[in-house]
Amino acid sequence: SYRAAGGERNVAAWLEKIFGPDHPIPQYEVNPWTTEILHHLSERNRVQDRDIYLVIEDLKQKASEYNSERISRKQSCICLHKGPKLIIVVRTWTF
């Protein structure tokens, strides 16, 4: 069983974080059973938050790599204009 006094404080802190400062925490019966259930929910929420954070960071990294690769390709494409109609395009692809 989740420790009553410390567990209740941790659950209350988690609920405050979830609902935010602008919304009141709904009333619930505070007893060892509800505290333990809410504790398990808070742990699952924490794990999901961590997993989502890792996915977001991975997507940011991939986006950064994609943009770097795209910029690198852009910089290696040189367009020369000679005259009103002649356009010479020189492309060197670097990967």
Side-chain angles (χ1 to χ4, degrees), residues 8-93:
E8 288 174 16
R9 281 194 297 274
N10 290 340
V11 165
W14 173 70
L15 289 171
E16 287 173 9
K17 177 184 165 191
I18 294 298
F19 285 97
D22 299 333
H23 301 286
I25 297 171
Q27 289 186 340
Y28 64 97
E29 184 178 339
V30 179
N31 61 45
W33 184 71
T34 58
T35 301
E36 189 165 345
I37 289 172
L38 289 170
H39 168 71
H40 287 296
L41 286 173
S42 72
E43 286 300 304
R44 290 183 69 179
N45 183 259
R46 184 185 59 77
V47 169
Q48 282 184 332
D49 282 352
R50 185 201 66 218
D51 292 347
I52 289 169
Y53 172 80
L54 292 174
V55 169
I56 289 170
E57 290 303 309
D58 184 51
L59 290 174
K60 284 180 183 177
Q61 178 67 30
K62 287 178 181 175
S64 175
E65 290 170 3
Y66 174 78
N67 284 332
S68 293
E69 185 176 302
R70 188 176 59 129
I71 290 168
S72 154
R73 287 182 183 169
K74 239 185 213 177
Q75 290 173 342
S76 64
C77 177
I78 304 167
C79 299
L80 303 172
H81 297 274
K82 186 167 185 168
K85 293 190 178 188
L86 178 63
I87 298 174
I88 301 170
V89 178
V90 179
R91 290 187 179 168
T92 55
W93 298 101

